């Protein structure tokens, strides 16, 4: 609810904010100064601090705009004072002081003293200031901008490091700058200067530089936008020279700071000045090491040298009727094409920066005219390059390599030239024509150009018949995406190439293709395929070219419904991996990179992304080719030739399998075979290398082969040695093939089952011969149902037992034999295992103890002879007293051979400890206790004393099993007391327990 008064160029009033539930009514005093339709300063007693005007300032302004009749207009206060006599002036001043005595009295007294002083400074100036009178005609006038608040806000957002939406807030500030530029608001440059100063003062810059770490991706993108905005500002077609000089000075100052970010992240860009056209070929990059690093401001600094005075350029942007039919195709930089349409030959990113500047400064119609001229120039250049390639095609194809390339790609470029052209043209598709006439005509400020005689045609004649801004936008996007260009240096630059390509394709995907656009796609696809080194899909391209997988996938899906042959040609051409092969085309050294451009050491930071995109392209083709045998074979051949990553080939195999076995249709056998073929390739690739997914891959392959059929399973088993390790072949492949689930899944008859079983047994025996340690048990299992095969497998185990097989492997097989009902064979293997075992005195928790106990129990169950044969082996291999005593105790509890094996009769008598073989075991056990005792006492600590006494108690039990054991144990204890008499406390405990 404003109440206000105005005097001259000053508006003041009170704004009442109604009471809210938790807030009382507030009254704010607002004062606004304005000059030539701009608010030049604001104050409000609300105290809110923000970049933008508070609600009270906005309310007062809107009230004045909407209800001008309710605001009484006063003359400037100086005019009113002029009309007063001396008495009136005195009354005016005294009343003013009375009403505001607390605020103005000190100032009034000070001014009175100065006026009464003859030599005061105030008396040296004629007249007095009047805040309500407005500025002089020559004074600067611009919208009010609270500079301190801009700086504080940017500083705050930067300090939050991208958290709490600060990145989004900074992007909104950049968008505000663009909005200001569009409205021709001179504060745009002021605001960007304030933002840039805070960015340059960010303490993280020096920290990152010292640590050698890179800034975050989002932060880098903010710097990119900063650089692009400065480019727009210095390219303002109507800025004054002094303004440009001031900006240049400021940009150079920032540019010279050590921590100023480089344009391409951590790598200095090796490109020449942007105002020069880029030369083609290898020599374009000489002496790059001597060139200073390009910063985010370098392009804006260089753009300060650009001007808009070229008469041809002015005619292009100022008129829809600028044509010339005097066409001669004998020069490179023609002003017009064969149809008389204007061309604009300039370094493409620079030309497009002009378009961006025109759009940014509120000249959309002019931007559109220049964009059309640039696109027509690019289309003519494309045609010329095609003709050039055709002339030298034979020689290039014969050599197989080329040094022709673009060192500077348009997609992923810091100035985003293709994005700019695409955006300008798409904007023209969306907006009403009236929008283009919303600002003053461009030529008003440019001055009159020298008039030239041209024939004039309507603007739509600059497009082919049936073309539109939309078709032009799509075509220039396709030209840019298909440009053959070198992969830039550095992680950030390479990621930017990928990101911008995906962004542009995403925008294209929003456009619904009609017949006209399909024609454009066809035309460009043919150009790309036939364009040689000038196209990213040419037959011969530079070895460090940016791969076309992502773009080709989009082309493929777009063209497929309309021209399948062309779609597959494009996608198959893009599948290649040029830099992964040597110049001669030899694929035996897949990671060899030989640069043709000197002084470049490319590191393919985005290699994993490129490989995944290549894989996606292949997968898309596989899906589309389902049911088409010829196409599937072609795609398979391309995958096998061009994809070098086993994990990606495995993914493709899985993709093909899923597509081939969709639930709602019968399996596609051709696609299944493709899936199997890719799976087999993965097996061969990863056979001799470490791969954490290898087990998963092997299992999947068996599943795939099962779906293909019994012959596929038979084939992989017969050729196992080229695909699997012996362990994989026996434990996974053959075991799975022989499982009941596989037999049921394939509906096999007896004959087929036997044939498959025969292959599995042959595989098992071959694997057991090759790797008996890991395959013997699986081989025995697989051969169980065939006597001859089983005997062969058993013999392989026996042969390998003496050399190479460990005791644990032999014990495992021995237990399996016992379980299968072959106790004597189990016994034989157990005795062989015992010869490999060695248990020392302190290994009383060794995992092999259970095997030893089992082996002794088995021998005991077989009979006295078998037990007599194994005990010497136990005595030789086991030095652990507790284990030996356990065996001894078990042997004395029952009579050997009680199982009655093979009808053998047992006497039923327990074995004597005084005779072999138990006497030998008893002596060995007593000896082990004696040795272990001495070993323990060497390093015993008091906390182990009680445990040691318990150990001696167990030892006494064993000693007492001998007929003279009591005497032996007493002598043993006496010995200990004599030898270890220094350990008084321990010996006291020994005496207490054992006397």
């Amino acid at each position: 609810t404003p109440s206000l008064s105005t005097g001259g160029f000053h508006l003041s009033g009170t704004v009442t904010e109604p009471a809210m539930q938790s807030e009382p009514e507030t009254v704010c005093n607002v004062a606004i100064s304005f000059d030539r339709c701009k608010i030049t300063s604001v104050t409000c007693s609300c105290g809110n601090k923000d970049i933008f005007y508070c609600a009270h300032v906005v309310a007062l302004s809107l009230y004045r705009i909407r209800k001008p009749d309710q605001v009484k207009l006063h003359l400037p206060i100086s005019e009113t004072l002029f009309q007063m006599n001396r008495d009136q002036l005195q009354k005016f001043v005294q009343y003013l002081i009375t009403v505001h005595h607390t605020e103005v009295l000190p100032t009034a007294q000070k001014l009175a003293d100065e006026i009464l002083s003859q030599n005061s400074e105030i008396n040296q100036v004629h007249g007095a200031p009047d805040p309500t009178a407005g500025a002089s005609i020559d004074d600067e006038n611009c919208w009010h901008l609270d500079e301190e608040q801009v700086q504080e806000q940017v500083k705050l957002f930067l300090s939050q490091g991208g958290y709490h939406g600060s990145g989004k807030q900074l992007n909104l500030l950049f968008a505000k700058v663009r909005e200001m530029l569009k409205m021709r608001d001179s504060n745009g440059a002021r605001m960007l200067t304030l933002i840039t100063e805070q960015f340059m003062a960010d303490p993280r810059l020096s920290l990152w530089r010292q640590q050698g770490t890179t800034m975050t991706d989002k932060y880098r993108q903010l710097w990119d936008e900063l650089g692009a905005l400065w480019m727009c500002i210095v390219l303002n077609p109507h800025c004054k020279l002094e303004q440009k000089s001031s900006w240049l000075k400021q940009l150079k100052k920032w540019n010279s700071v050590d921590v100023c970010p480089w344009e391409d992240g951590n790598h200095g860009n090796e490109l020449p000045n942007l105002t020069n056209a880029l030369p083609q070929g290898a020599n374009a990059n000489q002496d790059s090491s001597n060139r200073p690093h390009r910063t985010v401001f370098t392009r804006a600094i260089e753009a300060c040298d650009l001007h808009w005075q070229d008469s041809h350029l002015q005619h292009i942007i100022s008129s829809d009727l600028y044509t010339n039919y005097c066409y001669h195709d004998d020069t490179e930089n023609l002003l017009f094409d064969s149809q008389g349409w204007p061309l604009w030959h300039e370094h493409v990113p620079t030309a497009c920066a002009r378009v961006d500047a025109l759009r940014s400064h509120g000249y959309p119609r002019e931007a559109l005219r220049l964009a059309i001229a640039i696109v027509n120039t690019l289309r003519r250049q494309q045609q010329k390059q095609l003709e050039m390639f055709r002339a030298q095609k034979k020689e290039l194809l014969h050599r197989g390599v080329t040094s022709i390339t673009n060192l500077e790609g348009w997609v992923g470029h810091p100035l985003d030239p293709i994005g700019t052209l695409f955006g300008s043209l798409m904007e023209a598709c969306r907006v009403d024509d009236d929008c283009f006439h919303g600002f003053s005509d461009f030529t008003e400020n440019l001055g009159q150009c020298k008039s030239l005689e041209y024939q004039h045609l309507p603007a739509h004649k600059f497009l082919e018949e049936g073309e539109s801004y939309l078709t032009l936008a799509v075509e220039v996007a396709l030209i840019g995406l298909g440009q053959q260009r070198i992969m830039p240096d550095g992680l950030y630059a390479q990621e930017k190439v990928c990101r911008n390509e995906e962004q542009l394709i995403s925008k294209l995907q929003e456009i619904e293709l009609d017949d006209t656009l399909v024609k454009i796609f066809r035309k460009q696809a043919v150009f790309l395929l036939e364009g040689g080194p000038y196209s990213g899909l040419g037959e011969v391209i530079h070895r460090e070219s940016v791969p076309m997988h992502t773009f080709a996938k989009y082309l493929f899906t777009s063209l497929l419904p309309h021209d399948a042959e062309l779609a597959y040609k494009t996608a198959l051409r893009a599948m290649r991996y040029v830099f992964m092969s040597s110049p001669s085309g030899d694929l035996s050294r897949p990671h060899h990179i030989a640069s043709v451009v000197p002084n470049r050491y490319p590191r393919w930071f985005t290699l994993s992304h490129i490989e995944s995109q290549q894989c996606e392209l292949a997968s898309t083709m596989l899906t589309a080719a389902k049911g088409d045998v010829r196409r599937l074979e072609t795609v398979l051949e391309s995958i096998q030739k061009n994809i070098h990553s086993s994990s990606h080939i495995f993914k493709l195999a899985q993709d093909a399998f899923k597509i081939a076995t969709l639930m709602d249709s019968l399996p596609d056998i051709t696609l299944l075979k493709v899936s199997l073929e890719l799976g087999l390739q993965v097996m061969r690739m990863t056979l001799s290398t470490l791969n954490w997914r290898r087990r998963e891959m092997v299992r999947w392959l068996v599943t795939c082969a099962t779906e293909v059929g019994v012959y596929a399973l038979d084939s992989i088993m017969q050729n196992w040695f080229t695909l699997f390790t012996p362990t994989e072949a026996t434990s996974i492949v053959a075991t799975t093939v022989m499982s009941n689930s596989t037999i049921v899944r394939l509906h096999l008859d007896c004959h087929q089952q036997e044939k498959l079983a025969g292959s599995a047994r042959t595989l098992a025996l071959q694997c057991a011969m090759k790797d008996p340690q890991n395959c013997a048990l699986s081989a025995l299992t697989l051969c169980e149902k065939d006597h001859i095969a089983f005997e062969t497998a058993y013999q392989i185990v026996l042969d390998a037992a003496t050399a190479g097989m460990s005791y644990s492997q032999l014990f495992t097989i021995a237990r399996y034999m016992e379980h299968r009902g072959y106790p004597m064979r189990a016994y034989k293997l157990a005795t062989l295992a015992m010869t490999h075992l060695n248990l020392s005195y302190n290994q009383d928790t060794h995992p092999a103890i259970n095997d030893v106990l089992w082996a002794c129990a088995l021998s005991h169950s077989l009979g006295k002879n078998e037990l007599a044969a194994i005990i010497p082996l136990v005595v030789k291999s086991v030095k652990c007293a507790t284990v030996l005593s356990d065996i001894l105790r078990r042997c004395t509890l029952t009579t050997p051979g009680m199982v009655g094996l093979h009808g053998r009769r047992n006497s039923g008598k327990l074995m004597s400890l005084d005779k072999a073989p138990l006497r030998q075991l008893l002596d060995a056990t007593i000896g082990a206790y004696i040795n272990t005792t001495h070993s323990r006492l060497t390093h015993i600590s008091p906390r182990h004393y009680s445990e040691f006494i318990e150990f001696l108690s167990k030892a006494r039990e064993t000693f007492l099993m001998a007929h003279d054991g009591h005497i032996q144990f007493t002598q043993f204890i006496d010995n200990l007391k004599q030898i270890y008499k220094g350990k008084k406390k321990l010996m006291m405990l020994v005496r207490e327990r054992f006397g």
Side-chain angles (χ1 to χ4, degrees), residues 238-300:
H238 299 309
C239 73
K240 296 172 184 173
L241 280 175
E242 56 267 29
Q243 275 184 318
K244 192 180 275 192
S245 298
S246 167
W247 293 332
L248 179 60
K249 185 179 177 183
Q250 185 65 67
L251 286 165
K252 283 184 172 177
K253 179 186 168 188
W254 290 327
N255 195 64
S256 64
V257 177
D258 279 348
V259 295
C260 183
W262 297 345
E263 184 178 72
D264 61 348
N266 280 358
H267 290 71
N269 204 325
E270 300 171 353
L271 297 174
N273 187 298
L274 68 85
T275 55
N276 301 329
L278 283 168
Q280 296 286 326
N283 297 326
N285 208 39
Q286 297 291 358
D287 301 324
S288 61
S289 56
N290 301 326
R291 220 175 269 133
H293 288 303
R294 297 181 65 86
T295 76
V296 290
F297 301 117
T298 303
R299 292 183 187 273

Side-chain angles (χ1 to χ4, degrees), residues 429 465-472 474-475 478 508-523 554 558-559 561-563:
C429 301
E465 189 178 342
E467 281 189 336
S468 64
Y469 297 135
L470 179 62
T471 61
L472 220 56
V474 170
E475 185 160 19
L478 298 181
L508 283 169
Q509 285 170 332
E510 294 171 8
I511 302 166
E512 194 174 332
L513 297 190
D514 55 19
D515 291 344
T516 309
L517 290 175
V518 169
K519 282 179 187 173
I520 299 289
F521 271 79
R522 276 202 177 102
K523 170 188 162 187
Y554 168 67
S558 302
L559 281 169
H562 312 284
D563 190 337

Side-chain angles (χ1 to χ4, degrees), residues 124-138:
Q124 309 304 313
V125 181
H126 179 69
D130 180 358
T132 66
S136 163
I137 189 72
D138 297 322

